[in-house]
């Protein structure tokens, strides 16, 4: 997808970033930006000017807390835009290796983080069932989970 196609796709989805006045309210409000390289204003700017935003790793540092979106004086749907750009990126085969790996674990085990003995022990200490009521407890449900994931082509996206 070309850079201008990204902007067009966003605009067709009702996500207009071109009214951004680069005030920086978003980045100064961003809790993630205090601990990561994420600069929300820069992401918006890059999208406006057609920078190669799909390969910007900062896209994945957003926690989707929506603080920026609530505070933007231009009412730009910033978090929704970041989510939409991520969706475009994934459909173009672009995602962080760690995310791809976690997604493949979901496909294989029905869990992003499969349970291990340490976690079982901690659950027991908390007087919880050591095995959560998920596919770990009902392994026969794993096939259903996999069918659902394959039916929306999740397996192809994370292959
Ligand atoms: S808060 Fe809104 S107008 Fe200000 S820089 Fe961020 S996106 Fe642009
Ligand atoms: S939604 Fe994302 S970009 Fe916006 S303030 Fe929260 S973490 Fe930062």
């Amino acid at each position: 997808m070309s850079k201008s196609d990204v902007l067009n796709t966003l605009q067709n989805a009702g996500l207009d970033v071109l009214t951004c006045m680069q005030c920086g309210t978003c980045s100064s409000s961003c809790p993630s930006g205090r601990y990561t390289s994420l600069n929300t204003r820069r992401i918006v700017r890059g999208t406006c000017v057609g920078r190669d935003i799909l390969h910007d790793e900062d896209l994945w540092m957003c926690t989707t807390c929506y603080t920026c979106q609530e505070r933007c004086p231009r009412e730009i749907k910033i978090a929704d835009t970041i989510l939409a750009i991520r969706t475009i990126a994934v459909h173009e085969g672009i995602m962080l290796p760690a995310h791809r790996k976690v997604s493949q674990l979901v496909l294989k085990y029905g869990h992003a983080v499969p349970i291990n003995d340490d976690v079982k022990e901690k659950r027991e200490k908390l007087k919880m069932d050591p095995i959560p009521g998920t596919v770990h407890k009902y392994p026969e449900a794993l096939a259903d989970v996999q069918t659902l994931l394959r039916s929306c082509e999740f397996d192809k996206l994370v292959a």
Side-chain angles (χ1 to χ4, degrees):
M1 180 178 278
S2 76
K3 294 164 194 173
S4 59
D5 282 346
V6 172
L7 197 55
N8 288 339
T9 302
L10 294 174
Q11 286 186 314
N12 289 339
L15 300 168
D16 186 5
V17 291
L18 291 175
T19 56
C20 172
M21 59 181 177
Q22 289 292 294
C23 68
T25 303
C26 49
S27 26
S28 60
S29 306
C30 176
S32 176
R34 286 177 213 141
Y35 302 99
T36 71
S37 55
L38 173 59
N39 180 324
T40 318
R41 182 194 56 75
R42 200 179 58 81
I43 294 271
V44 176
R45 176 72 181 155
T47 308
C48 289
V49 299
R51 188 163 54 75
D52 182 12
I53 203 75
L54 299 183
H55 285 93
D56 191 328
E57 293 198 356
D58 287 354
L59 272 182
W60 307 98
M61 304 299 161
C62 168
T63 62
T64 65
C65 71
Y66 277 79
T67 306
C68 55
Q69 188 156 322
E70 285 171 2
R71 295 185 180 176
C72 174
R74 286 284 164 87
E75 299 186 350
I76 294 172
K77 295 175 182 169
I78 308 168
D80 291 338
T81 298
I82 291 174
L83 284 169
I85 298 171
R86 285 179 179 175
T87 301
I88 298 169
V90 169
H91 279 88
E92 294 286 310
I94 305 161
M95 68 172 76
L96 293 183
H99 291 172
R100 190 181 299 280
K101 190 169 181 188
V102 163
S103 303
Q104 287 169 349
L105 288 174
V106 172
L107 191 59
K108 189 168 179 185
Y109 299 108
H111 272 271
V113 182
I115 200 161
N116 57 31
D117 289 342
D118 276 352
V119 175
K120 283 186 203 164
E121 206 176 300
K122 282 178 188 156
R123 289 177 64 89
E124 275 181 323
K125 277 187 190 156
L126 292 168
K127 312 274 185 233
M128 296 168 72
D129 185 336
I131 309 288
T134 65
V135 292
H136 283 324
K137 197 174 196 71
Y138 306 101
E140 67 280 7
L142 179 58
D144 292 338
V145 172
Q146 290 169 333
T147 299
L148 283 170
L149 292 173
R150 289 194 179 110
S151 70
C152 60
E153 303 198 335
F154 180 82
D155 55 328
K156 289 181 187 153
L157 288 176
V158 304

